[in-house]
Amino acid sequence: MAANGWLALIIMVVANGIVAWTLFTGVEPVSRQAKKWFFIVANGVGLVLAISQWIWMDF
């Protein structure tokens, strides 16, 4: 069960790392609203992946 928590945490850290890397290393300027939605969507995808692996690994 603890492995599920660690894997979920790793998924969220990787998703947020991708978001941060993309936002900080981007060459073209991005609006605040676009950054906000990119962050929300990336975290939503990461959360869905974390929850799905949590459920999937229990069986």
Side-chain angles (χ1 to χ4, degrees):
M1 196 65 167
N4 293 354
W6 281 110
L7 188 55
L9 180 65
I10 290 169
I11 289 171
M12 291 304 292
V13 167
V14 167
N16 282 305
I18 291 170
V19 169
W21 179 262
T22 304
L23 292 178
F24 291 133
T25 62
V27 209
E28 64 275 350
V30 182
S31 71
R32 269 181 90 114
Q33 189 173 9
K35 286 181 184 179
K36 179 183 80 170
W37 279 107
F38 185 59
F39 181 76
I40 290 170
V41 168
N43 276 295
V45 168
L47 187 63
V48 166
L49 287 173
I51 291 172
S52 65
Q53 73 79 29
W54 190 289
I55 292 169
W56 179 63
M57 294 286 280
D58 279 344
F59 295 117

